[in-house]
Amino acid sequence: MKLYLAIMLLLPLAGGLTSALAGRLLPRRLLEFLICATVWGGFVCAALAAASYTAPLTVNLAPWITAFDLGAPLSLYLDPLSLSLAVMVTFVCGLIHIYSVFYMAEEGDYPRFFALLNLFVFAMLTLLLAENLPLLYLGWEGVGFCSYLLIGFWYQDKANADAGRKAFITTRIGDTALVIGIAWLFQLFGTFSMVQLNGMAFLIPGGVVTAIGVLFLIGAMGKSAQVPLQVWLPDAMAGPTPVSAMIHAATMVTAGVYLLARMFPFFGGSAVVTSAIAVTGGITAFYGASCAVAQRDLKRVLAFSTISQIGYMMLGVGAGAITAATFHLLVHAFFKALLFLGAGCVITAMHHEQDIFKMGGLRRSLPVTFWCFLAGSACLAGIPLTGGFFSKDSIIGALWLKGVPLYQALYVLALITALLTSFYSFRLVYLVFGGETNAHIHGSRELKVMELVLVPLALLGLCGGVLDLPGYLGGGFLGHFFANLAGGKAAEAPQATEIVLQAIAGALALAGLAAAHVAFSGKARAKRIAEADNPSALTSFLFHAWHFDDLYRLLFIRPYAALSGFLWQRMDEGVIDDSLDRLAQGVGATGTWFGRWTAGRISLYIVSFAAGGAAILGYLAWVTLS
Amino acid sequence: MSIPLEHVIILASLLFAMGLGCTVAWRSNVIMMLIGIEIMLNAVMLVFVGASARWGVADGQLFALLIMALTSAEVSLALAMVVYLHRRKKTVNTDVFDSMKG
Amino acid sequence: METIVFYILAAVTLVGTVLAITARQGVHAIVYLVTSFFALALIFYLLGAPMVASFEVIIYAGAIMVLFLFVIMMLDLGKPEKIQTPKLYDWCPAILLLVVITGSMGVLASRAATPLNAFAGISVQEFSFTLFKRYGAAIEIISMQLLFALVGALYLGRRR
């Protein structure tokens, strides 16, 4: 087991370092094979670890930080949560690696790209498998760093570099809260081990647990793009599409959910923290869905849908349904990667056009992409019997079963969000694939391969439900697997209640589909496209993502820029530089003035010399007299 | 021998001051400046000799002798330089020679 | 007796020097200065330094002043009147310096006017003994300096 875990971590690291250091020297085909092989090797190791898994275990690889009583060894922890996520991450990343080999076929700077992809996988696995908080934080920052570099991969374009910086700085706010939380925990307990910490929450007052839980929640907000730190994710679409698929949809953004799920036993007892998580998730889910309705950019629609779906996961964690949240996390990873990769195919075929109002008719020219994208949209919308339906419903059901007014309000919000989700998913399908062809399709051999990658993801997304079927269909695999996990045991509902809840959710999803059909199919589609250039106030408000960016610009960036300008022009240039300049000028003027003394006339020198001697003599006489 | 050392020193300082005054005032004639320097050196010799008499040791007189040797060397070089400079600029006015100006 | 002679000689020295530094012509200045130096040589003798006194006459009044005379004559400065003499304005700093220096030295020296000890002077033998026994290195250095001065004077004086 130790061997599997070590190899799983070391393979992507080795691949990334090879690509970074020697990428230029190797033949391109060999390098491409190598970086895919490392990730698939990681997947094989993960699968073998899963096959031989019996009980949670801690694996100590090596000492890392050791100073006085501060100890953070390189130790890994394997339990159902980390194991299932590790399998998912290596599998999805493996597919995306193959996809990106073809997607980036014309990119000249490929070693940098592949190195960052592999390093990202390494950091993500470190995050997942870490047993102690500093190691988790190493992975946490590692994925953030790779994400920053990959968003700004085409850094010659200032907008892309700015998007990278925005992502980095926004997540930094959350990271700071997380570091404070970690340090506080160490100060209280003297240990970093998450396994130990999770069992010690009862030792400290509830208020402290709440405070630490809120700090961790802020950290998760930054990484998982939750309101109010969500502004970076839509802009992060500036990166290459495989990166968006891999980092900003399937894996990295779920790290916040993973952290909260991992530490859930610690602060699960604090109602304030779980409520805060649930409220954050509910608001974010609704916010993301409402914004996605009005977006024009294909990738931004998907980005907002990601925000919304992660909000669902947070809702699940907040409701104490860790199994449901993880279930949705896994299924979401499949169908969201599918949607992004499909979008990548569409964008490639459309010559890098991303405006969905300028697309259309692709169902005939890209049939494979169309069917896979449709499957992904169905999952996203939660059409009954798809994977997304079961996973989302288990979260919504868990909310209802809490039986508390707050959670019931969130339940209603989640249902409205589900309706919106279904609507915008099919709006996307109708706009992109419906209507008549109005663009020349750029077909190529690479595109064919890229389409093939979509198929396994589509199958997994559609059939993802079998991972954890509801009780009346025979119960699920994940539920048994997670049964021993703290918070893993969801409240059992009577079968009748469960069927009614699922029927409500399924009906809403179908209603959204119907609404999208009415609004965007056939002749109505052309009308909507004509309307798109004159958006109503509400549409504009949603298109600008509730003007969050403008709000932050007004609240933080403007005052900060003004303060910086003041410090720069008034303080630095006005006071410090100016005083130095004045001083230098004064010294220079004094020097010039004294310089006139060196007139070159010996008589003057003699007089000066004699005056000096006379002064010394006078001083001596004065000293002697007094 | 009842001359007070203080009086010798006062005489020497008067001589020295006159030599210095000569050097300072006669900037129009470098030879007069050199004469001023000679007067100053003589004043110093007088102090040495007076001190030698005061404490009854020969060292002071000896230094007077050394000063004399030094002066002869200095005067020979300085006068050679005066001749050289006069040959170049046809003047002995020191203010004309200002090539040391910074 | 000696004291009176000393004061007379001191007066001669001072007057000679004042006349020398205010003389209009270089030659006059040299002659006044020689007078002054003769008086100074006698003072040296009074202070028990016959060797220094004789060297003062031989080297200073004899050789160095003659060297000055030679140079003044050699330079052929045309009419000596053409050389501008210091104005009263030029003497101002000199007089100021004179007041400061003599005042200071007077203050420093007049603390306690003690007569010199009775003493018979230093014999030539004793003088020479000190010179060559204790200050042999100084003699060498001075002689080398004279050699350098000779070379330098030759270099500066050659015609190009």
Side-chain angles (χ1 to χ4, degrees):
Chain A
M1 190 62 86
K2 185 174 178 178
L3 186 69
Y4 295 152
L5 294 183
I7 291 176
M8 189 182 357
L9 277 180
L10 288 179
L11 271 178
L13 179 63
L17 291 180
T18 311
S19 181
L21 297 176
R24 286 267 169 223
L25 307 175
L26 298 175
R28 183 163 184 159
R29 291 271 164 254
L30 179 62
L31 183 67
E32 288 169 353
F33 175 75
L34 207 63
I35 62 119
C36 290
T38 53
V39 181
W40 283 108
F43 172 66
V44 171
C45 288
L48 287 173
S52 56
Y53 174 82
T54 47
L57 81 164
T58 305
V59 176
N60 214 331
L61 288 182
W64 181 32
I65 301 173
T66 315
F68 304 106
D69 55 343
L70 187 149
L74 283 177
S75 59
L76 308 178
Y77 180 64
L78 199 67
D79 69 346
L81 186 61
S82 56
L83 181 62
S84 54
L85 286 184
V87 173
M88 180 276 285
V89 164
T90 47
F91 179 71
V92 173
C93 288
L95 283 178
I96 294 173
H97 271 69
I98 295 176
Y99 181 89
S100 39
V101 164
F102 294 98
Y103 188 85
M104 304 296 274
E106 287 167 13
E107 171 64 42
D109 202 3
Y110 59 96
R112 180 159 61 95
F113 184 73
F114 292 144
L116 288 172
L117 281 190
N118 261 12
L119 285 179
F120 169 78
V121 175
F122 164 72
M124 189 70 202
L125 288 174
T126 310
L127 195 163
L128 292 177
L129 295 172
E131 195 270 336
N132 51 39
L133 285 167
L135 193 59
L136 179 138
Y137 190 72
L138 176 76
W140 185 274
E141 289 298 333
V143 292
F145 176 68
C146 291
S147 155
Y148 159 67
L149 288 177
L150 284 169
I151 293 169
F153 181 71
W154 289 309
Y155 57 87
Q156 283 93 344
D157 195 349
K158 187 175 179 298
N160 295 344
D162 282 348
R165 276 199 285 270
K166 187 175 177 183
F168 199 67
I169 292 168
T170 315
T171 50
R172 178 80 29 238
I173 297 170
D175 296 349
T176 310
L178 178 60
V179 169
I180 295 171
I182 292 174
W184 197 351
L185 278 179
F186 182 76
Q187 192 259 329
L188 286 174
F189 295 110
T191 176
F192 283 128
S193 164
M194 287 192 278
V195 181
Q196 291 176 28
L197 286 174
N198 277 341
M200 294 201 286
F202 63 90
L203 292 173
I204 51 174
V208 179
V209 174
T210 305
I212 293 175
V214 168
L215 285 173
F216 274 72
L217 172 62
I218 296 173
M221 275 178 188
K223 196 57 98 188
S224 290
Q226 299 295 293
V227 175
L229 294 179
Q230 85 290 6
V231 289
W232 65 271
L233 189 60
D235 287 358
M237 297 302 127
T241 307
V243 171
S244 306
M246 179 161 128
I247 298 181
H248 307 120
T251 56
M252 183 192 92
V253 285
T254 58
V257 179
Y258 171 75
L259 175 74
L260 293 181
R262 166 63 76 215
M263 295 300 287
F264 188 77
F266 182 78
F267 48 70
S270 166
V272 179
V273 176
T274 50
S275 308
I277 295 172
V279 169
T280 308
I283 292 173
T284 310
F286 178 72
Y287 165 82
S290 67
C291 293
V293 168
Q295 297 303 312
R296 299 185 56 151
D297 185 315
L298 177 55
K299 286 174 75 177
R300 279 179 83 90
V301 176
L302 294 176
F304 278 111
S305 81
T306 303
I307 294 178
S308 169
Q309 297 301 308
I310 296 170
Y312 270 116
M313 297 171 208
M314 295 292 246
L315 264 177
V317 174
I322 301 295
T323 312
T326 316
F327 182 27
H328 193 53
L329 200 162
L330 294 174
V331 178
H332 170 258
F334 294 135
F335 70 72
K336 190 48 65 70
L338 165 66
L339 284 172
F340 261 106
L341 296 184
C345 291
V346 169
I347 291 167
T348 310
M350 294 295 291
H351 306 277
H352 295 278
E353 174 61 61
Q354 300 196 3
D355 189 344
I356 51 177
F357 285 103
K358 292 179 182 162
M359 297 177 181
L362 292 177
R363 69 179 176 281
R364 285 193 204 87
S365 42
L366 293 174
V368 180
T369 308
F370 168 61
W371 286 110
C372 293
F373 202 92
L374 188 62
S377 298
C379 286
L380 177 59
I383 299 298
L385 302 183
T386 57
F389 172 71
F390 289 116
S391 62
K392 198 186 288 181
D393 183 71
S394 59
I395 290 175
I396 296 177
L399 284 173
W400 175 255
L401 291 173
K402 284 287 263 191
V404 181
L406 173 69
Y407 283 95
Q408 281 171 352
L410 287 172
Y411 169 75
V412 175
L413 191 64
L415 284 183
I416 297 170
T417 309
L419 180 67
L420 282 173
T421 308
S422 172
F423 177 72
Y424 74 71
S425 309
F426 287 102
R427 166 179 177 267
L428 199 58
V429 174
Y430 278 117
L431 281 174
V432 174
F433 294 98
E436 293 309 310
T437 307
N438 54 4
H440 174 68
I441 294 304
H442 170 79
S444 65
R445 194 179 62 82
E446 281 87 10
L447 193 59
K448 294 278 183 297
V449 184
M450 280 153 63
E451 284 187 310
L452 285 181
V453 174
L454 305 181
V455 178
L457 284 172
L459 292 176
L460 274 170
L462 283 175
C463 308
V466 300
L467 281 175
D468 195 24
L469 286 172
Y472 60 87
L473 287 175
F477 157 73
L478 272 184
H480 298 304
F481 195 40
F482 280 25
N484 295 327
L485 205 64
K489 220 174 193 73
E492 275 300 317
Q495 286 193 356
T497 318
E498 201 165 350
I499 290 173
V500 169
L501 287 175
Q502 293 197 335
I504 294 172
L508 278 171
L510 290 173
L513 168 61
H517 182 76
V518 170
F520 288 102
S521 73
K523 286 191 179 138
R525 182 179 183 278
K527 202 174 147 209
R528 291 287 168 278
I529 291 177
E531 278 175 4
D533 290 331
N534 303 311
S536 64
L538 179 65
T539 315
S540 175
F541 176 70
L542 293 177
F543 178 74
H544 290 109
W546 296 18
H547 292 288
F548 257 102
D549 275 340
D550 300 322
L551 182 68
Y552 287 166
R553 190 166 296 123
L554 194 69
L555 280 184
F556 302 114
I557 298 174
R558 284 255 199 86
Y560 183 73
L563 180 66
S564 305
F566 173 77
L567 289 177
W568 163 43
Q569 282 174 327
R570 293 277 179 283
M571 289 299 290
D572 191 45
E573 287 193 345
V575 177
I576 298 172
D577 280 8
D578 211 40
S579 58
L580 285 178
D581 284 352
R582 292 271 171 79
L583 183 64
Q585 277 170 7
V587 170
T590 317
T592 313
W593 189 74
F594 273 120
R596 284 191 292 181
W597 206 344
T598 60
R601 297 202 333 254
I602 300 162
S603 52
L604 185 61
Y605 297 162
I606 293 175
V607 170
S608 310
F609 176 66
I616 293 173
L617 265 181
Y619 171 75
L620 285 176
W622 181 68
V623 168
T624 315
L625 279 179
S626 58
Chain B
M1 283 296 285
S2 53
I3 309 160
L5 178 62
E6 284 73 18
H7 293 189
V8 175
I9 288 178
I10 287 172
L11 173 63
S13 64
L14 278 173
L15 272 179
F16 185 89
M18 283 180 194
L20 188 55
C22 176
T23 309
V24 169
W26 274 95
R27 49 183 192 174
S28 58
N29 193 338
V30 69
I31 295 174
M32 289 304 286
M33 283 174 93
L34 287 173
I35 285 173
I37 292 171
E38 297 308 310
I39 296 169
M40 283 190 278
L41 283 165
N42 268 288
V44 174
M45 280 164 61
L46 181 58
V47 174
F48 271 120
V49 171
S52 169
R54 164 71 176 75
W55 281 282
V57 286
D59 300 41
Q61 298 186 9
L62 201 120
F63 273 95
L65 189 70
L66 293 184
I67 287 173
M68 227 178 278
L70 188 143
T71 310
S72 55
E74 171 249 315
V75 164
S76 59
L77 261 184
L79 286 177
M81 217 174 284
V82 168
V83 172
Y84 172 74
L85 290 175
H86 184 261
R87 211 183 280 155
R88 284 183 58 189
K89 295 217 172 170
K90 296 288 169 209
T91 181
V92 287
N93 190 341
T94 54
D95 286 349
V96 176
F97 305 105
D98 61 352
S99 55
M100 272 207 299
K101 183 172 172 57
Chain C
M1 176 64 189
E2 282 171 335
T3 320
I4 297 166
V5 173
F6 170 77
Y7 290 126
I8 293 170
L9 288 172
V12 172
T13 310
L14 288 176
V15 172
T17 309
V18 169
L19 289 175
I21 63 176
T22 52
R24 276 181 178 280
Q25 294 185 20
V27 180
H28 292 184
I30 298 296
V31 172
Y32 286 132
L33 206 59
V34 167
T35 315
S36 154
F37 283 172
F38 268 119
L40 199 61
L42 284 173
I43 291 177
F44 287 161
Y45 185 80
L46 277 182
L47 289 172
M51 278 291 284
V52 180
S54 55
F55 280 132
E56 175 84 10
V57 174
I58 297 167
I59 295 177
Y60 250 108
I64 295 178
M65 288 303 124
V66 171
L67 196 59
F68 272 99
L69 267 183
F70 277 162
V71 170
I72 290 171
M73 291 173 177
M74 200 174 79
L75 288 186
D76 187 19
L77 295 169
K79 285 195 165 58
E81 292 79 16
K82 272 170 69 180
I83 295 177
Q84 53 182 177
T85 49
K87 306 280 184 300
L88 196 62
Y89 167 79
D90 289 326
W91 286 106
C92 283
I95 289 164
L96 192 67
L97 280 170
L98 191 131
V99 170
V100 170
I101 291 173
T102 49
S104 304
M105 293 307 289
V107 165
L108 288 176
S110 64
R111 300 292 287 174
T114 48
L116 289 178
N117 298 338
F119 114 109
I122 291 160
S123 66
V124 177
Q125 187 187 20
E126 194 185 341
F127 179 83
S128 314
F129 207 75
T130 316
L131 181 63
F132 291 110
K133 283 282 186 182
R134 283 186 62 189
Y135 294 98
I139 297 295
E140 295 298 326
I141 292 169
I142 286 288
S143 62
M144 265 197 267
Q145 191 192 14
L146 283 169
L147 180 65
F148 298 153
L150 179 66
V151 174
L154 277 175
Y155 173 77
L156 285 172
R158 77 200 161 113
R159 291 206 170 270
R160 259 165 276 211

